[in-house]
Amino acid sequence: MAEEKFSEIGRVEAIERLFENTGYSPWAGNDPEADQKGDVIHTASRLLIEGIDFDLVYFPLKHLGYKSVISVTGELYAAMARPHALSITLGLSAKLDFSQVKEFWSGAVTAAKEHGVKKLSLDMTPSPNGLSIAVSMTGLTSCITAKRRMEAKSMDLICISDNLGAAFMGMQVLEQEKRRFSSTKDDSMQPDLEQYRHLVGAYLKPELNPSIVSQLEEAGIIPSYGYFVTRGLSDAVKRLVRDSGLGAKIYVDKIPFPGKMFDLGKQFNIDPVSAALNGGDDYRLLFTVPIGKHDKFRRDFQVFDIIGHLAKPDVGAVIVTPDGVEFPMKAQGWQ
Protein backbone atom coordinates (compact mmCIF):
# COMPACT_ATOMS: atom_id res chain seq x y z
CA MET A 1 0.00 0.00 0.00
CA ALA A 2 1.45 3.37 -1.06
CA GLU A 3 2.28 5.88 1.63
CA GLU A 4 -0.07 8.84 1.73
CA LYS A 5 1.71 12.17 1.39
CA PHE A 6 0.49 15.34 3.05
CA SER A 7 0.94 17.13 -0.26
CA GLU A 8 -1.72 14.83 -1.71
CA ILE A 9 -4.16 15.02 1.22
CA GLY A 10 -3.91 18.64 2.33
CA ARG A 11 -3.78 20.02 5.86
CA VAL A 12 -7.52 20.45 6.46
CA GLU A 13 -8.51 17.01 5.20
CA ALA A 14 -5.60 15.41 7.10
CA ILE A 15 -6.79 16.93 10.39
CA GLU A 16 -10.39 15.90 9.74
CA ARG A 17 -9.31 12.33 9.00
CA LEU A 18 -7.20 12.17 12.15
CA PHE A 19 -10.22 13.16 14.25
CA GLU A 20 -12.48 10.49 12.73
CA ASN A 21 -13.89 8.08 15.36
CA THR A 22 -12.02 9.81 18.21
CA GLY A 23 -15.09 11.34 19.84
CA TYR A 24 -13.55 14.81 19.53
CA SER A 25 -14.42 17.61 17.10
CA PRO A 26 -11.51 19.20 15.20
CA TRP A 27 -13.14 22.58 14.79
CA ALA A 28 -14.93 23.02 18.13
CA GLY A 29 -15.54 26.60 19.22
CA ASN A 30 -15.29 28.14 22.66
CA ASP A 31 -16.42 25.92 25.51
CA PRO A 32 -18.31 27.77 28.27
CA GLU A 33 -17.61 24.89 30.63
CA ALA A 34 -13.97 25.97 30.81
CA ASP A 35 -14.91 29.14 32.69
CA GLN A 36 -16.85 27.78 35.61
CA LYS A 37 -17.54 30.40 38.25
CA GLY A 38 -14.95 30.40 40.97
CA ASP A 39 -12.73 27.70 39.47
CA VAL A 40 -9.02 28.45 39.13
CA ILE A 41 -7.68 28.01 35.60
CA HIS A 42 -4.21 26.52 35.14
CA THR A 43 -2.24 26.10 31.92
CA ALA A 44 0.77 23.96 31.10
CA SER A 45 2.79 23.83 27.89
CA ARG A 46 5.84 22.06 26.56
CA LEU A 47 7.88 21.86 23.36
CA LEU A 48 9.41 18.50 22.44
CA ILE A 49 12.09 18.46 19.73
CA GLU A 50 13.43 15.47 17.83
CA GLY A 51 17.07 14.80 18.63
CA ILE A 52 16.82 16.52 22.01
CA ASP A 53 13.71 15.19 23.75
CA PHE A 54 13.25 11.97 21.75
CA ASP A 55 14.92 9.79 19.14
CA LEU A 56 12.70 8.20 16.49
CA VAL A 57 15.23 5.41 15.97
CA TYR A 58 13.84 3.66 19.05
CA PHE A 59 10.85 5.75 20.16
CA PRO A 60 7.53 4.28 18.87
CA LEU A 61 5.35 7.09 17.52
CA LYS A 62 2.28 5.88 19.41
CA HIS A 63 4.19 6.02 22.70
CA LEU A 64 5.53 9.45 21.75
CA GLY A 65 2.01 10.78 21.24
CA TYR A 66 0.94 9.38 24.61
CA LYS A 67 4.00 10.76 26.43
CA SER A 68 3.59 14.19 24.84
CA VAL A 69 0.14 14.53 26.43
CA ILE A 70 1.35 13.18 29.79
CA SER A 71 4.15 15.78 29.79
CA VAL A 72 1.60 18.55 30.40
CA THR A 73 -1.05 16.52 32.22
CA GLY A 74 1.34 15.98 35.11
CA GLU A 75 1.88 19.72 35.48
CA LEU A 76 -1.86 20.16 36.03
CA TYR A 77 -2.13 17.31 38.52
CA ALA A 78 0.74 18.88 40.47
CA ALA A 79 -1.41 22.02 40.72
CA MET A 80 -4.45 19.93 41.79
CA ALA A 81 -6.17 20.76 38.48
CA ARG A 82 -8.25 18.47 36.27
CA PRO A 83 -7.39 18.48 32.54
CA HIS A 84 -9.97 20.18 30.34
CA ALA A 85 -8.68 21.36 26.96
CA LEU A 86 -5.64 20.13 25.01
CA SER A 87 -3.96 21.73 22.00
CA ILE A 88 -1.21 20.09 19.93
CA THR A 89 0.79 21.63 17.09
CA LEU A 90 3.11 19.42 15.06
CA GLY A 91 6.08 20.62 13.06
CA LEU A 92 6.42 17.93 10.35
CA SER A 93 9.34 17.26 8.05
CA ALA A 94 9.01 15.53 4.68
CA LYS A 95 10.25 12.22 6.12
CA LEU A 96 6.97 11.67 7.98
CA ASP A 97 3.98 10.40 6.03
CA PHE A 98 0.32 10.50 7.03
CA SER A 99 0.26 6.97 8.46
CA GLN A 100 3.09 7.81 10.85
CA VAL A 101 1.34 10.96 12.06
CA LYS A 102 -1.83 8.89 12.50
CA GLU A 103 0.13 6.51 14.74
CA PHE A 104 1.38 9.43 16.85
CA TRP A 105 -2.15 10.85 17.03
CA SER A 106 -3.64 7.56 18.24
CA GLY A 107 -1.33 7.66 21.25
CA ALA A 108 -2.20 11.29 21.98
CA VAL A 109 -5.94 10.61 21.77
CA THR A 110 -5.59 7.58 24.06
CA ALA A 111 -3.91 9.73 26.72
CA ALA A 112 -6.45 12.54 26.28
CA LYS A 113 -9.38 10.17 26.85
CA GLU A 114 -7.65 8.43 29.74
CA HIS A 115 -7.24 11.74 31.56
CA GLY A 116 -10.67 13.19 30.86
CA VAL A 117 -9.79 15.87 28.30
CA LYS A 118 -13.04 17.36 27.00
CA LYS A 119 -11.76 19.50 24.14
CA LEU A 120 -8.95 18.63 21.74
CA SER A 121 -7.41 20.62 18.90
CA LEU A 122 -4.64 19.92 16.39
CA ASP A 123 -2.62 21.97 13.94
CA MET A 124 0.30 21.10 11.68
CA THR A 125 3.03 23.12 10.04
CA PRO A 126 6.06 22.24 7.86
CA SER A 127 9.41 21.76 9.58
CA PRO A 128 12.84 21.53 7.90
CA ASN A 129 14.44 19.77 10.88
CA GLY A 130 12.53 16.66 11.85
CA LEU A 131 9.55 16.43 14.20
CA SER A 132 8.67 19.06 16.81
CA ILE A 133 5.69 18.82 19.15
CA ALA A 134 4.14 21.81 20.94
CA VAL A 135 1.63 20.75 23.59
CA SER A 136 -0.58 23.04 25.68
CA MET A 137 -3.23 22.04 28.20
CA THR A 138 -5.75 23.93 30.32
CA GLY A 139 -7.12 22.55 33.55
CA LEU A 140 -9.41 23.59 36.39
CA THR A 141 -8.96 23.55 40.15
CA SER A 142 -12.22 23.76 42.07
CA CYS A 143 -12.65 26.88 44.16
CA ILE A 144 -13.15 24.70 47.26
CA THR A 145 -9.82 22.92 46.75
CA ALA A 146 -8.04 26.20 46.06
CA LYS A 147 -9.35 27.67 49.33
CA ARG A 148 -8.34 24.57 51.31
CA ARG A 149 -4.69 24.78 50.26
CA MET A 150 -2.73 25.62 53.42
CA GLU A 151 0.53 27.46 53.84
CA ALA A 152 3.55 25.17 53.93
CA LYS A 153 5.36 24.81 57.24
CA SER A 154 8.66 23.41 58.45
CA MET A 155 8.45 19.61 58.96
CA ASP A 156 5.71 19.16 56.32
CA LEU A 157 6.31 15.92 54.42
CA ILE A 158 7.92 15.77 50.96
CA CYS A 159 6.42 12.85 49.01
CA ILE A 160 7.14 11.32 45.60
CA SER A 161 4.66 9.24 43.58
CA ASP A 162 6.99 6.43 42.44
CA ASN A 163 10.60 5.36 42.02
CA LEU A 164 13.22 7.68 40.56
CA GLY A 165 15.96 7.19 37.97
CA ALA A 166 14.15 4.47 36.01
CA ALA A 167 13.48 6.60 32.92
CA PHE A 168 17.08 7.83 32.71
CA MET A 169 18.42 4.28 32.98
CA GLY A 170 15.86 3.08 30.43
CA MET A 171 17.12 5.68 27.99
CA GLN A 172 20.71 4.51 28.58
CA VAL A 173 19.67 0.96 27.65
CA LEU A 174 18.02 2.18 24.44
CA GLU A 175 21.01 4.34 23.54
CA GLN A 176 23.32 1.37 24.05
CA GLU A 177 21.22 -0.77 21.72
CA LYS A 178 21.16 2.06 19.17
CA ARG A 179 24.98 2.16 19.18
CA ARG A 180 25.15 -1.60 18.71
CA PHE A 181 22.76 -1.41 15.76
CA SER A 182 24.73 1.47 14.22
CA SER A 183 27.92 -0.58 14.38
CA THR A 184 26.44 -3.74 12.82
CA LYS A 185 23.60 -2.42 10.59
CA ASP A 186 22.04 -5.86 10.98
CA ASP A 187 18.23 -5.64 11.06
CA SER A 188 17.97 -9.29 12.12
CA MET A 189 19.71 -8.53 15.41
CA GLN A 190 16.79 -7.43 17.57
CA PRO A 191 17.70 -6.40 21.13
CA ASP A 192 16.40 -8.44 24.05
CA LEU A 193 15.01 -5.81 26.42
CA GLU A 194 12.79 -8.07 28.53
CA GLN A 195 14.96 -7.82 31.64
CA TYR A 196 14.86 -4.01 31.34
CA ARG A 197 11.17 -3.83 30.50
CA HIS A 198 10.23 -1.67 33.49
CA LEU A 199 13.08 0.79 32.96
CA VAL A 200 12.48 1.13 29.21
CA GLY A 201 8.74 1.46 29.79
CA ALA A 202 9.29 4.23 32.35
CA TYR A 203 11.04 6.23 29.64
CA LEU A 204 8.92 5.42 26.59
CA LYS A 205 5.44 5.38 28.14
CA PRO A 206 5.20 7.01 31.58
CA GLU A 207 1.79 6.76 33.20
CA LEU A 208 -0.09 8.84 35.77
CA ASN A 209 -3.07 8.07 37.97
CA PRO A 210 -6.04 9.93 36.39
CA SER A 211 -7.85 9.94 39.74
CA ILE A 212 -5.07 11.43 41.87
CA VAL A 213 -6.74 14.85 42.29
CA SER A 214 -10.10 13.33 43.25
CA GLN A 215 -8.46 10.87 45.65
CA LEU A 216 -6.55 13.62 47.46
CA GLU A 217 -9.67 15.79 47.69
CA GLU A 218 -11.78 12.93 49.04
CA ALA A 219 -9.12 12.11 51.63
CA GLY A 220 -9.04 15.73 52.76
CA ILE A 221 -5.34 16.00 51.92
CA ILE A 222 -4.58 19.15 49.92
CA PRO A 223 -0.84 19.53 49.22
CA SER A 224 0.58 22.97 49.93
CA TYR A 225 2.92 22.61 46.93
CA GLY A 226 3.08 20.25 43.99
CA TYR A 227 5.63 19.71 41.21
CA PHE A 228 5.90 17.47 38.18
CA VAL A 229 9.35 15.88 38.30
CA THR A 230 10.65 15.77 34.72
CA ARG A 231 14.17 17.18 35.07
CA GLY A 232 15.36 15.31 38.12
CA LEU A 233 14.50 15.43 41.82
CA SER A 234 17.02 18.19 42.56
CA ASP A 235 15.36 20.58 40.13
CA ALA A 236 11.94 20.05 41.73
CA VAL A 237 13.24 20.40 45.30
CA LYS A 238 15.13 23.59 44.49
CA ARG A 239 11.97 25.05 42.96
CA LEU A 240 10.08 24.06 46.12
CA VAL A 241 12.62 25.87 48.30
CA ARG A 242 12.43 28.93 46.08
CA ASP A 243 8.63 29.04 46.02
CA SER A 244 7.98 28.24 49.69
CA GLY A 245 10.77 30.30 51.24
CA LEU A 246 11.61 27.26 53.39
CA GLY A 247 14.42 24.73 53.44
CA ALA A 248 14.14 21.07 52.43
CA LYS A 249 15.86 17.87 53.54
CA ILE A 250 15.84 14.79 51.29
CA TYR A 251 17.08 11.50 52.76
CA VAL A 252 19.07 9.26 50.42
CA ASP A 253 17.88 6.05 52.07
CA LYS A 254 14.24 7.09 51.57
CA ILE A 255 14.50 7.64 47.80
CA PRO A 256 12.71 4.77 45.99
CA PHE A 257 14.71 3.05 43.24
CA PRO A 258 13.48 0.49 40.68
CA GLY A 259 14.76 -3.08 40.56
CA LYS A 260 18.07 -3.69 38.75
CA MET A 261 18.92 -0.01 39.20
CA PHE A 262 22.19 -0.58 41.03
CA ASP A 263 23.33 -3.46 38.80
CA LEU A 264 22.68 -1.35 35.72
CA GLY A 265 24.39 1.60 37.37
CA LYS A 266 27.58 -0.42 37.63
CA GLN A 267 27.27 -1.49 34.00
CA PHE A 268 26.95 2.09 32.75
CA ASN A 269 29.19 3.58 35.45
CA ILE A 270 26.29 5.79 36.61
CA ASP A 271 25.52 6.48 40.26
CA PRO A 272 21.81 5.64 40.81
CA VAL A 273 21.48 8.51 43.29
CA SER A 274 22.83 10.92 40.68
CA ALA A 275 20.38 9.49 38.13
CA ALA A 276 17.50 10.12 40.54
CA LEU A 277 18.62 13.66 41.39
CA ASN A 278 19.54 14.82 37.89
CA GLY A 279 18.47 12.15 35.38
CA GLY A 280 15.18 13.60 34.29
CA ASP A 281 12.13 12.22 32.43
CA ASP A 282 10.83 10.35 35.48
CA TYR A 283 7.37 11.98 35.20
CA ARG A 284 6.62 11.72 38.92
CA LEU A 285 4.47 13.89 41.18
CA LEU A 286 6.09 15.55 44.18
CA PHE A 287 3.78 16.91 46.88
CA THR A 288 4.27 18.57 50.26
CA VAL A 289 1.76 17.22 52.78
CA PRO A 290 1.01 18.62 56.27
CA ILE A 291 2.81 16.63 58.97
CA GLY A 292 -0.54 16.20 60.73
CA LYS A 293 -1.76 14.10 57.79
CA HIS A 294 1.18 11.69 58.07
CA ASP A 295 -0.70 8.58 59.21
CA LYS A 296 -3.63 9.04 56.85
CA PHE A 297 -1.37 9.76 53.89
CA ARG A 298 0.76 6.66 54.50
CA ARG A 299 -2.35 4.53 54.82
CA ASP A 300 -4.34 5.86 51.85
CA PHE A 301 -1.52 6.66 49.39
CA GLN A 302 0.88 3.76 49.63
CA VAL A 303 2.14 4.31 46.08
CA PHE A 304 3.82 7.48 47.38
CA ASP A 305 7.11 7.45 49.30
CA ILE A 306 7.93 10.02 51.97
CA ILE A 307 11.47 11.06 51.11
CA GLY A 308 12.03 14.11 53.30
CA HIS A 309 10.52 17.18 54.88
CA LEU A 310 10.51 20.95 54.78
CA ALA A 311 12.84 22.73 57.18
CA LYS A 312 13.86 26.18 58.39
CA PRO A 313 14.83 28.59 55.59
CA ASP A 314 18.54 28.67 56.51
CA VAL A 315 18.83 24.92 55.77
CA GLY A 316 18.43 25.44 52.03
CA ALA A 317 18.01 22.35 49.82
CA VAL A 318 20.11 19.48 51.16
CA ILE A 319 20.53 15.76 50.63
CA VAL A 320 21.12 13.76 53.82
CA THR A 321 23.23 10.58 53.76
CA PRO A 322 22.44 7.54 55.94
CA ASP A 323 25.25 8.75 58.24
CA GLY A 324 23.48 12.06 58.74
CA VAL A 325 25.88 14.14 56.63
CA GLU A 326 24.17 16.94 54.70
CA PHE A 327 25.22 18.08 51.23
CA PRO A 328 23.76 21.00 49.24
CA MET A 329 21.59 19.80 46.37
CA LYS A 330 22.65 20.79 42.87
CA ALA A 331 20.51 20.62 39.77
CA GLN A 332 22.05 20.48 36.30
CA GLY A 333 20.87 23.43 34.26
CA TRP A 334 18.96 24.99 37.18
CA GLN A 335 19.66 28.61 38.16
Side-chain angles (χ1 to χ4, degrees):
M1 183 177 179
E3 295 178 349
E4 293 184 282
K5 303 295 184 182
F6 279 101
S7 58
E8 300 169 356
I9 302 173
R11 170 181 164 275
V12 173
E13 183 179 343
I15 291 175
E16 289 181 343
R17 287 170 61 175
L18 289 170
F19 272 86
E20 288 178 358
N21 302 316
T22 64
Y24 293 102
S25 172
W27 315 115
N30 293 331
D31 188 347
E33 218 183 299
D35 189 24
Q36 297 180 36
K37 186 176 180 180
D39 285 353
V40 179
I41 299 176
H42 296 270
T43 59
S45 60
R46 186 164 182 183
L47 176 64
L48 303 170
I49 301 174
E50 183 179 351
I52 297 177
D53 298 290
F54 58 89
D55 190 329
L56 291 181
V57 170
Y58 52 72
F59 214 126
L61 283 163
K62 186 172 183 178
H63 288 353
L64 181 59
Y66 186 95
K67 184 174 181 178
S68 298
V69 174
I70 298 298
S71 72
V72 287
T73 305
E75 296 286 355
L76 296 185
Y77 287 160
M80 290 294 288
R82 291 177 174 82
H84 183 83
L86 171 66
S87 174
I88 299 177
T89 300
L90 301 178
L92 302 171
S93 67
K95 71 178 183 180
L96 290 173
D97 57 42
F98 180 73
S99 64
Q100 290 172 309
V101 174
K102 190 174 182 179
E103 186 178 351
F104 169 93
W105 187 242
S106 68
V109 169
T110 296
K113 289 183 175 180
E114 186 176 296
H115 292 276
V117 171
K118 295 178 175 60
K119 182 182 177 184
L120 179 60
S121 64
L122 171 67
D123 199 3
M124 296 180 289
T125 185
S127 169
N129 301 310
L131 175 63
S132 60
I133 308 160
V135 195
S136 179
M137 183 179 280
T138 300
L140 304 172
T141 299
S142 75
C143 59
I144 296 175
T145 296
K147 291 176 180 177
R148 290 171 64 193
R149 176 161 277 180
M150 299 175 64
E151 182 180 353
K153 297 179 180 178
S154 178
M155 297 308 296
D156 280 357
L157 310 173
I158 299 175
C159 314
I160 196 78
S161 64
D162 207 334
N163 58 54
L164 294 167
F168 181 76
M169 285 301 190
M171 185 183 71
Q172 300 307 309
V173 171
L174 292 168
E175 285 288 336
Q176 175 180 266
E177 295 304 324
K178 176 187 173 181
R179 290 192 293 270
R180 287 177 179 171
F181 173 76
S182 297
S183 64
T184 63
K185 301 295 184 182
D186 186 356
D187 289 336
S188 65
M189 297 284 291
Q190 294 298 316
D192 182 9
L193 301 177
E194 183 59 32
Q195 62 176 321
Y196 305 122
R197 184 176 181 181
H198 172 71
L199 301 178
V200 171
Y203 175 67
L204 294 180
K205 191 175 180 289
E207 298 182 352
L208 294 172
N209 175 8
S211 302
I212 184 61
V213 173
S214 296
Q215 290 172 355
L216 286 167
E217 289 175 337
E218 291 169 4
I221 300 175
I222 308 301
S224 50
Y225 286 94
Y227 297 91
F228 192 38
V229 182
T230 60
R231 295 180 175 86
L233 178 62
S234 290
D235 172 77
V237 173
K238 291 180 81 68
R239 284 188 287 147
L240 169 61
V241 168
R242 177 198 64 195
D243 296 343
S244 68
L246 296 169
K249 291 188 177 185
I250 302 296
Y251 296 87
V252 170
D253 56 354
K254 299 297 183 182
I255 297 175
F257 293 101
K260 300 185 181 296
M261 184 72 167
F262 287 85
D263 291 341
L264 202 57
K266 292 179 181 178
Q267 179 181 330
F268 287 115
N269 194 29
I270 296 173
D271 177 16
V273 176
S274 179
L277 295 179
N278 300 302
D281 256 2
D282 275 315
Y283 283 38
R284 306 304 189 205
L285 292 168
L286 182 146
F287 289 123
T288 55
V289 175
I291 185 65
K293 299 288 186 179
H294 175 274
D295 292 343
K296 185 173 181 59
F297 187 81
R298 286 190 68 96
R299 183 180 70 248
D300 295 349
F301 295 90
Q302 296 183 19
V303 68
F304 279 79
D305 285 273
I306 299 172
I307 59 174
H309 60 80
L310 293 175
K312 298 296 183 182
D314 58 349
V315 171
V318 298
I319 187 85
V320 184
T321 70
D323 297 329
V325 180
E326 299 181 1
F327 294 98
M329 297 184 77
K330 298 180 180 180
Q332 297 177 2
W334 191 94
Q335 296 294 332

